[in-house]
């Protein structure tokens, strides 16, 4: 089975154990590439979205400030979830539930953004 580089416009075939091709992996290491909050593919860190998502018709992703802010917030929430997840296993159950809820909300908002 072929695996493709996760970067949004890269179609490099790579080994199934890798996420990015050699070139793009280097950019990930240097922090120049992170994840697009909408499609979850790799994109350049300096842009809020990958060019693909950014250039979609207005009804899918418009330039509305609120939407952009939501996307940025979503990305921040994702970072927080990722950061605390490893230590959440020792949290009391109610706190874990809250984290779960946050994650569900983030996924829901992401779904709504994808649906436009
Ligand atoms: Zn690549
Ligand atoms: Zn994207």
């Amino acid at each position: 089975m072929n695996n493709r580089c996760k970067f949004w416009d890269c179609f490099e075939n790579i080994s199934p154990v890798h996420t990015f091709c050699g070139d793009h992996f280097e950019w990930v290491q240097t922090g120049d590439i992170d994840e697009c909050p909408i499609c979850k593919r790799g994109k350049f860190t300096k842009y809020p979205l990958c060019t693909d998502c950014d250039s979609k018709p207005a009804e899918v992703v418009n330039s509305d400030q609120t939407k952009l802010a939501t996307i940025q917030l979503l990305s921040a929430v994702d970072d927080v979830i990722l950061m605390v997840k490893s230590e959440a296993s020792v949290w009391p159950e109610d706190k874990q539930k809250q984290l779960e809820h946050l994650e569900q909300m983030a996924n829901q908002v992401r779904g709504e953004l994808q649906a436009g």
Side-chain angles (χ1 to χ4, degrees):
M1 190 192 86
N2 282 335
N3 188 25
R4 275 189 178 158
C5 174
K6 201 182 157 194
F7 194 76
W8 73 274
D9 74 340
C10 182
F11 299 101
E12 196 82 36
N13 283 323
I14 53 170
S15 141
V17 298
H18 291 138
T19 312
F20 289 96
C21 69
D23 287 351
H24 282 118
F25 182 70
E26 258 180 54
W27 291 76
V28 174
Q29 296 293 88
T30 56
D32 290 306
I33 286 177
D34 63 2
E35 210 172 58
C36 172
I38 293 187
C39 68
K40 294 282 163 191
R41 289 177 294 179
K43 61 144 182 82
F44 287 114
T45 309
K46 60 183 170 179
Y47 302 115
L49 298 173
C50 74
T51 309
D52 200 17
C53 291
D54 205 28
S55 60
K56 273 184 185 158
E59 64 268 21
V60 178
V61 178
N62 61 33
S63 55
D64 181 359
Q65 288 298 314
T66 309
K67 205 154 199 179
L68 189 62
T70 309
I71 289 161
Q72 281 165 344
L73 180 67
L74 200 59
S75 170
V77 167
D78 276 349
D79 284 348
V80 171
I81 292 173
L82 198 71
M83 198 170 70
V84 299
K85 214 155 194 196
S86 58
E87 44 189 270
S89 57
V90 297
W91 288 3
E93 203 185 328
D94 59 333
K95 275 196 170 182
Q96 289 195 31
K97 281 252 161 63
Q98 277 178 8
L99 182 66
E100 235 171 73
H101 181 68
L102 180 67
E103 206 169 2
Q104 280 167 5
M105 290 300 286
N107 283 334
Q108 196 183 320
V109 171
R110 182 174 299 118
E112 279 165 17
L113 284 171
Q114 276 168 344

